[in-house]
Amino acid sequence: MYHDLPRAATFWAFLLTIDQDLADTTRQKGCPCGGRLHCANYLRKPRGAPVRLTAEQSVRLSFCCDRDDCRKRATPPSVRFLDRKVYLGVIVILVSALRHGPSPRRVHELSERFGVDRCTIARWQVFWRDLFPQTPFWKLARARLNPLLNIASLPYTLVATFVDDENSDTSWARLLRFLSPISIPGALQIKLS
Ligand SMILES: [Zn+2]
């Protein structure tokens, strides 16, 4: 069972290298119009990291098509940033999971520790409970995991499935990588049928 986030600075550096790999794959594919992708990163100010992030670690990698009549943006999946949330993805997952674990931590305690206010935590709960299970990503992914996984306690069940304390860095990275398809802007849009 997990207890905490990896605290070593190497973990955050490791996440950046995974993002760079994911970005390379996106760049190599190029734009659907046939254009080449040029670097067009966003500077973010991610919150919640237990260590001081470097400027490089605070950048959301992204590209822009080089053709004048296109200029479309292509943002690769990320293991650091979840959707457009200000907090690092790992914080959004951990704080939400702690609310569902075997000994739910009080909102007050979580707020103090991660600097996330009550309203934000409530919004994340809605995200995991109402939005996430409706995404095309989850509908496919669920079949690959245990189909009986309890969606009422997401993301706790995901953390419990992926993360082990012995290999905290690599197991967290595996979970973040698994969830990375939903980090692409627009990936969470849900079709109402
Ligand atoms: Zn293009």
Side-chain angles (χ1 to χ4, degrees):
M1 195 44 62
Y2 69 101
H3 295 293
D4 212 341
L5 286 180
R7 283 184 175 269
T10 50
F11 173 66
W12 305 91
F14 174 47
L15 293 186
L16 176 61
T17 64
I18 298 175
D19 270 11
Q20 283 163 339
D21 280 349
L22 293 167
D24 279 347
T25 308
T26 297
R27 190 209 293 262
Q28 279 159 20
K29 278 190 205 145
C31 183
C33 80
R36 285 161 49 129
L37 294 176
H38 283 198
C39 186
N41 297 335
Y42 301 92
L43 184 61
R44 306 285 293 267
K45 283 190 180 145
R47 294 198 211 156
V51 296
R52 185 182 286 271
L53 299 181
T54 63
E56 199 188 13
Q57 287 167 345
S58 304
V59 163
R60 175 70 165 102
L61 303 174
S62 188
F63 302 102
C64 190
C65 177
D66 72 344
R67 288 198 177 163
D68 283 335
D69 55 345
C70 178
R71 295 277 171 206
K72 234 174 140 179
R73 192 172 265 284
T75 300
S78 169
V79 294
R80 295 174 299 146
F81 300 101
L82 190 65
D83 189 39
R84 289 185 188 135
K85 292 184 171 50
V86 173
Y87 286 86
L88 292 162
V90 70
I91 302 294
V92 180
I93 298 165
L94 181 69
V95 170
S96 308
L98 289 171
R99 298 272 291 133
H100 280 295
S103 56
R105 307 238 187 132
R106 291 187 184 169
V107 172
H108 177 71
E109 187 192 329
L110 295 172
S111 315
E112 297 257 301
R113 191 159 150 223
F114 295 100
V116 189
D117 65 40
R118 182 182 288 270
C119 293
T120 305
I121 296 177
R123 275 204 308 277
W124 292 351
Q125 296 298 123
V126 171
F127 167 79
W128 291 108
R129 191 190 61 215
D130 300 341
L131 297 179
F132 179 74
Q134 301 301 323
T135 57
F137 164 78
W138 177 244
K139 287 177 179 168
L140 283 173
R142 191 179 179 182
R144 274 162 42 213
L145 298 167
N146 179 357
L148 300 175
L149 210 97
N150 181 6
I151 61 164
S153 55
L154 284 168
Y156 169 74
T157 36
L158 285 177
V159 176
T161 302
F162 279 83
V163 176
D164 81 88
D165 276 343
E166 302 272 301
N167 303 294
S168 179
D169 285 27
T170 48
S171 61
W172 264 107
R174 212 164 43 234
L175 173 58
L176 294 166
R177 192 163 196 145
F178 170 77
L179 289 172
S180 68
I182 62 164
S183 68
I184 302 171
L188 289 170
Q189 280 171 14
I190 296 145
K191 280 191 196 130
L192 294 170
S193 53

